[in-house]
Amino acid sequence: LQLLQVEGGSDYRYVVCGDHTAQVARGASRQGLESFLYNNPPVIWFADGSALEGNQYVQLRNDVPPYDRTRIIAWDWAGVDIRKESQGPTKAADSIQARVIRELTVGDYSVIFDDDDSGEAADVVAVRVVGTVPADRRIEVEFYHCKYSQTDSPGQRIKDLYEVCGQAQKSVRWMLSPESRTDLFTHLMRRDAQRLAKGLPSRIERGATDVLQTLVEMSRLCPVSLRVSIVQPGVSKSDATTDQLRLLGVTANYLYETYQLPLTVITSG
């Protein structure tokens, strides 16, 4: 599809480029993709924080500062293929995702969950319950969004960050309402059941199904917080460019401005 400004007016339209198009189904009704996008324009976020919705381009009123390089956490990736993102059902130990899970196992998490694949909340979800007195209990959730490196060595490639920053920004959907926070834990239970139904290993790296069920019930009564982490060993902490840091800064600003979600960035040294 191509977005075109209507000549002589402020309206716009989508037109099909090429011989193939698509339809969107809602119940029994169907409509062309170009019509659907006109009536439901997606918001396209750019690396500088500006956004395009339909033909309305909105720039930031104030420049967002680059992400503070000193806040980046550098990990040792020895023994990891930084071009291999997912551990998969075979639990590939040399993957980025498996490295994250190993790091988390030294923590005091109640649940560590491999949610990788289409429809994921994050590649890895870690959950801990804080507080011993019922009135003071809260649930702390951490999302780890992993992305493979474009090459075998860390570099200054901005494209190594575009997709993972977008995934991090979409994390806010789980904080939209009390219901969506509870939905997160039912989502994890459903995903594990689907994996097991295929005869594959459980997605639960620590914890059990009954722990997730308890979290579903607790989330209806206890506060739920979320911290978002980007994991990209294809980026170098010491050599990160201004463009890379600016993109990370925009992502951190978006997460904080929407739901006060803190962002952690994990890279190579």
Side-chain angles (χ1 to χ4, degrees):
L1 291 177
Q2 182 178 12
L3 175 64
L4 295 179
Q5 185 80 11
V6 175
E7 187 174 352
S10 59
D11 205 356
Y12 65 95
R13 63 190 176 98
Y14 288 93
V15 297
V16 176
C17 299
D19 300 326
H20 302 283
T21 185
Q23 289 189 323
V24 177
R26 284 184 168 181
S29 66
R30 292 177 177 271
Q31 65 181 132
L33 181 58
E34 60 273 26
S35 175
F36 174 80
L37 291 176
Y38 179 81
N39 293 310
N40 304 273
V43 180
I44 301 171
W45 294 92
F46 298 99
D48 62 357
S50 59
L52 178 67
E53 183 173 3
N55 64 341
Q56 299 297 314
Y57 178 67
V58 180
Q59 292 180 287
L60 290 179
R61 294 182 179 179
N62 300 305
D63 288 336
V64 175
Y67 194 83
D68 184 354
R69 188 189 306 272
T70 63
R71 292 174 55 198
I72 296 175
I73 300 172
W75 279 6
D76 179 5
W77 296 96
V80 176
D81 180 355
I82 65 172
R83 302 190 71 172
K84 182 186 293 185
E85 178 180 320
S86 304
Q87 66 170 1
T90 61
K91 312 286 186 180
D94 62 343
S95 64
I96 297 167
Q97 185 189 22
R99 170 72 173 86
V100 172
I101 291 170
R102 287 196 297 273
E103 186 75 19
L104 295 177
T105 55
V106 302
D108 59 345
Y109 299 99
S110 302
V111 171
I112 301 174
F113 193 92
D114 168 6
D115 196 32
D116 175 58
D117 214 343
S118 176
E120 67 188 34
D123 293 284
V124 182
V125 179
V127 187
R128 63 161 62 91
V129 177
V130 179
T132 56
V133 180
D136 295 330
R137 277 190 192 143
R138 67 184 187 275
I139 301 171
E140 296 181 347
V141 181
E142 297 176 8
F143 280 1
Y144 291 83
H145 294 284
C146 307
K147 186 52 59 180
Y148 64 89
S149 172
Q150 298 285 331
T151 69
D152 294 329
S153 302
Q156 299 179 325
R157 301 171 296 273
I158 188 70
K159 62 183 179 180
D160 274 333
L161 284 174
Y162 277 128
E163 185 175 352
V164 72
C165 283
Q167 292 170 336
Q169 291 182 28
K170 289 193 293 184
S171 300
V172 300
R173 66 180 287 252
W174 298 103
M175 293 288 109
L176 293 176
S177 67
E179 292 76 17
S180 61
R181 295 167 194 179
T182 296
D183 286 346
L184 171 62
F185 302 108
T186 57
H187 161 86
L188 298 180
M189 291 182 64
R190 182 174 62 254
R191 297 272 283 180
D192 192 48
Q194 291 170 342
R195 168 77 74 84
L196 292 174
K198 297 177 181 178
L200 298 173
S202 173
R203 291 180 175 273
I204 301 174
E205 299 285 342
R206 173 182 289 176
T209 302
D210 60 341
V211 178
L212 288 174
Q213 183 61 59
T214 299
L215 289 169
V216 170
E217 302 302 325
M218 287 184 62
S219 67
R220 297 189 174 106
L221 303 172
C222 302
V224 179
S225 64
L226 175 63
R227 174 180 290 274
V228 180
S229 293
I230 286 173
V231 184
Q232 174 48 286
V235 172
S236 165
K237 174 179 178 177
S238 58
D239 295 331
T241 67
T242 300
D243 285 343
Q244 287 177 321
L245 295 174
R246 184 177 292 116
L247 178 55
L248 292 170
V250 166
T251 303
N253 180 73
Y254 175 79
L255 292 173
Y256 186 79
E257 291 291 331
T258 50
Y259 289 95
Q260 287 76 55
L261 306 184
L263 175 69
T264 299
V265 179
I266 299 169
T267 69
S268 295

